[in-house]
Amino acid sequence: MKEILNIGFNYNSLNTSYDFAYLITTKQQNWNIFHIHEGMEFLYVHEGSGFAIIDQKIYEMSPRTLVYFKPFQLHGTKVYMEDSSVYTRSILSFEPSQLDVYLQSFPDLKRFFHMIWKEQLCTQIISSLPKNNPIESMFKYFNINLKTYSKTKNSEEFTLFIISFLQFVKTMWPKQEQAIEAISSSNPTYIEKIMEWIEENYTKEFHLNLLSTELHLSQYYIAHLFHNATGANITEYLIARRMRQSCLLLKNSSLSVQQICHEVGLTNVSYFCKKFKEHTGKTPLKYRTSRSV
């Protein structure tokens, strides 16, 4: 994995149904990631602090925090890097449809799995897990054994591993009632207000002055505030949001490329195709005919 990732569409290498990266350490200032991807992703923070941005909400991250990102969910992370600090995390990504069939014998776990996969969630983060919690031991054990198994056995071991992992996550998952209360009692930050405005208006032609007027802030201040907080500029974030929606429409509708271009707030089809290929590595038509998500 590269140490710096620009905003964009990050494909997981899901040809083997999953990706697993253990104890990735970064010793670099200004660590920023802002992207979308196809599979489910779980990020476990071993060292470092910062925040995650998920669905226009900002959540603090610290050691022993587990963060979940849904398929095709635009999200970002920013880590505070000082001279002596490091950012160490483990990342588990997988294609949910590949796992679904193995949960037939576990109806309660399957319901939980479908909830975090397909339903709108009030929270996607578990903070302040205890020291030496089961996630750390499961990740360590799986990483050790991953190197010794054949490709076929890897798949079997992963299935057993992810079932155990999900069972633990299920027991620790915050109650939705508590999450709703926490969210409703918090005041949105300016960054959240900016992202909420984009969420409501990304299908239209973008004009920074309209956002500026609604928030009663100068255009310069809005641009500076957003970049300083997220590591991306507003245009980059807007394009990534449009590309996310484009991917969903290409896979789940019969709209033409031109229609989808207009649906996501763009008028120039050539520009749309160029940006789509930059973000996904494929043309819109090739993406539409590739493996279903």
Side-chain angles (χ1 to χ4, degrees):
M1 178 175 290
K2 297 178 181 178
E3 290 196 343
I4 299 178
L5 294 177
N6 294 324
I7 188 169
F9 186 100
N10 178 27
Y11 272 98
N12 291 320
S13 301
L14 293 175
N15 292 330
T16 57
S17 299
Y18 68 90
D19 278 341
F20 180 69
Y22 182 63
L23 293 181
I24 309 168
T25 297
T26 301
K27 299 179 181 179
Q28 183 171 338
Q29 292 184 347
N30 301 322
W31 172 263
N32 298 294
I33 297 180
F34 223 118
H35 62 219
I36 54 180
H37 48 73
E38 288 188 350
M40 284 181 162
E41 179 179 297
F42 290 88
L43 167 70
Y44 182 79
V45 180
H46 299 270
E47 297 178 271
S49 61
F51 59 83
I53 303 171
I54 312 171
D55 278 352
Q56 302 87 56
K57 295 293 180 183
I58 299 176
Y59 303 90
E60 290 188 3
M61 296 192 307
S62 58
R64 302 188 304 280
T65 296
L66 181 69
V67 188
Y68 165 57
F69 305 116
K70 297 175 67 175
F72 288 97
Q73 185 172 53
L74 185 60
H75 61 272
T77 60
K78 184 170 183 179
V79 178
Y80 306 120
M81 302 297 288
E82 300 175 353
D83 292 340
S84 59
S85 65
V86 296
Y87 173 41
T88 303
R89 68 277 186 208
S90 295
I91 301 174
L92 170 63
S93 307
F94 60 93
E95 167 54 51
S97 63
Q98 297 294 315
L99 182 69
D100 198 35
V101 65
Y102 297 105
L103 296 178
Q104 299 300 324
S105 300
F106 310 101
D108 195 38
L109 183 59
K110 184 174 181 177
R111 280 191 292 271
F112 171 74
F113 178 64
H114 276 249
M115 179 193 75
I116 64 173
W117 175 14
K118 299 182 177 181
E119 295 181 15
Q120 185 168 352
L121 304 173
C122 293
T123 185
Q124 292 172 224
I125 188 166
I126 302 174
S127 303
S128 304
L129 286 165
K131 291 183 178 180
N132 302 316
N133 63 77
I135 289 178
E136 295 181 357
S137 57
M138 280 189 286
F139 278 19
K140 182 179 180 180
Y141 174 80
F142 183 65
N143 183 66
I144 292 172
N145 290 283
L146 187 64
K147 302 171 184 177
T148 63
Y149 294 133
S150 64
K151 186 175 180 180
T152 301
K153 196 169 184 180
N154 267 352
S155 179
E156 179 181 340
E157 288 295 318
F158 172 74
T159 302
L160 297 172
F161 161 62
I162 194 61
I163 288 175
S164 299
F165 170 77
L166 287 172
Q167 180 60 34
F168 174 74
V169 171
K170 175 176 172 291
T171 64
M172 300 297 294
W173 195 260
K175 299 297 184 182
Q176 293 297 294
E177 295 81 3
Q178 296 172 357
I180 292 171
E181 183 178 349
I183 290 172
S184 61
S185 63
S186 63
N187 295 318
T189 65
Y190 275 125
I191 305 304
E192 291 171 335
K193 288 180 179 178
I194 291 170
M195 290 187 291
E196 287 172 359
W197 188 91
I198 291 174
E199 185 66 20
E200 294 172 0
N201 294 277
Y202 74 88
T203 59
K204 308 169 187 174
E205 187 174 353
F206 176 67
H207 296 285
L208 184 57
N209 64 305
L210 297 179
L211 174 57
S212 172
T213 300
E214 184 158 330
L215 295 185
H216 306 289
L217 298 172
S218 73
Q219 296 182 41
Y220 171 81
Y221 185 70
I222 287 176
H224 175 77
L225 188 70
F226 192 84
H227 187 274
N228 188 55
T230 67
N233 64 51
I234 293 177
T235 301
E236 290 172 329
Y237 178 83
L238 175 62
I239 291 173
R241 179 63 185 92
R242 286 169 165 168
M243 294 305 105
R244 171 186 182 256
Q245 187 65 17
S246 300
C247 290
L248 293 174
L249 291 173
L250 284 164
K251 287 294 187 181
N252 299 293
S253 78
S254 58
L255 295 175
S256 69
V257 171
Q258 184 174 10
Q259 288 173 315
I260 290 173
C261 172
H262 291 113
E263 282 284 324
V264 299
L266 296 172
T267 57
N268 188 315
V269 178
S270 297
Y271 175 80
F272 167 75
C273 292
K274 177 184 176 183
K275 287 299 178 183
F276 190 88
K277 189 170 184 180
E278 286 178 2
H279 280 67
T280 68
K282 298 178 181 180
T283 65
L285 291 177
K286 284 189 176 180
Y287 181 83
R288 170 167 269 169
T289 57
S290 64
R291 176 178 57 83
S292 298
V293 297

